[in-house]
Amino acid sequence: GNSVTQMEGPVTLSEEAFLTINCTYTATGYPSLFWYVQYPGEGLQLLLKATKADDKGSNKGFEATYRKETTSFHLEKGSVQVSDSAVYFCALSDSSYKLIFGSGTRLLVRP
Amino acid sequence: GAGVSQSPSNKVTEKGKDVELRCDPISGHTALYWYRQSLGQGLEFLIYFQGNSAPDKSGLPSDRFSAERTGGSVSTLTIQRTQQEDSAVYLCASSRDNSGNTIYFGEGSWLTVV
């Protein structure tokens, strides 16, 4: 079946460091791919998405590129801030409505 | 409000009791979803409603779980005879329709079964 695999956390970085959170997927067909973020005490928010191969989603300095050849959708940011501390979820949608999530990666950014 | 609203935000219940969790989607959104977020299990799809179509109940973990959506708007998730393994955050979400529009999540209802 379809699935999403994320790198395990927590990921601890100093402010202004470069961030990569790996995400790979298994799916039939051509799913849409998403990154959601959950800040402490808040609900899930869509961070970015990509709907077809080679698309790049971007938002708030974060980027992820849909790589069909490697079935990956890695999240990157060039310079993290303390306010980026949160749990990040990679997800795919193969049916236009049902989201399949990875297990989440906690990011802690220290001043 | 502007977002998906869920209540209660926190619920502690005794094992064996029934609980109801409520979701008020964003106005005008025809699609509504319930997910469960629990330790060690990540985020699991529970049920999906779209307009007047029959709901997709494929994610409900047992027949103790049920959900309804009245008038195409508010939804209630009911858990009967709660068990400790039901302890989790229950997330409701909505989207404009089912054509790939952004899904917006509520802040969740944290259920603890003691």
Side-chain angles (χ1 to χ4, degrees):
Chain A
N2 298 334
S3 65
V4 176
T5 302
Q6 286 181 240
M7 63 188 290
E8 289 193 20
V11 174
T12 303
L13 296 173
S14 298
E15 206 165 23
E16 300 183 3
F18 184 87
L19 169 71
T20 300
I21 300 178
N22 289 338
C23 171
T24 58
Y25 67 91
T26 301
T28 55
Y30 303 94
S32 293
L33 301 174
F34 306 83
W35 277 99
Y36 278 81
V37 59
Q38 188 173 34
Y39 297 103
E42 299 184 16
L44 277 171
Q45 302 173 26
L46 177 66
L47 181 60
L48 53 84
K49 69 178 183 180
T51 58
K52 61 183 186 295
D54 300 324
D55 268 3
K56 177 185 285 187
S58 61
N59 186 24
K60 299 182 180 180
F62 291 88
E63 294 183 341
T65 301
Y66 189 141
R67 301 286 189 199
K68 188 165 178 60
E69 64 275 14
T70 54
T71 62
S72 65
F73 194 55
H74 304 320
L75 182 68
E76 297 182 335
K77 186 173 185 182
S79 176
V80 293
Q81 306 300 311
V82 173
S83 58
D84 294 326
S85 297
V87 181
Y88 293 81
F89 293 90
C90 186
L92 70 81
S93 174
D94 60 355
S95 60
S96 82
Y97 67 83
K98 190 183 296 185
L99 284 170
I100 297 169
F101 287 90
S103 56
T105 303
R106 182 175 299 278
L107 171 65
L108 176 62
V109 181
R110 294 180 170 161
Chain B
V4 177
S5 178
Q6 293 188 243
S7 62
S9 55
N10 285 284
K11 175 74 176 178
V12 180
T13 189
E14 292 181 352
K15 179 180 172 182
K17 295 287 180 71
D18 297 352
V19 296
E20 286 188 350
L21 307 176
R22 175 190 168 101
C23 173
D24 201 341
I26 293 171
S27 178
H29 281 193
T30 61
L32 186 146
Y33 318 73
W34 283 98
Y35 283 80
R36 180 169 69 174
Q37 185 177 17
S38 51
L39 286 174
Q41 297 294 324
L43 279 150
E44 305 169 81
F45 166 81
L46 297 178
I47 189 169
Y48 163 77
F49 296 90
Q50 170 56 43
N52 295 321
S53 302
D56 177 351
K57 304 180 181 181
S58 60
L60 294 178
S62 77
D63 59 7
R64 295 187 295 105
F65 288 72
S66 63
E68 61 179 23
R69 188 179 186 192
T70 54
S73 181
V74 172
S75 176
T76 302
L77 176 69
T78 301
I79 309 172
Q80 296 178 308
R81 305 181 302 282
T82 52
Q83 304 295 312
Q84 288 185 329
E85 61 263 28
D86 300 334
S87 297
V89 180
Y90 289 84
L91 295 169
C92 180
S94 70
S95 63
R96 188 172 297 130
D97 55 33
N98 66 346
S99 62
N101 283 295
T102 299
I103 298 174
Y104 296 89
F105 283 82
E107 294 187 7
S109 292
W110 194 295
L111 175 66
T112 303
V113 182
V114 298

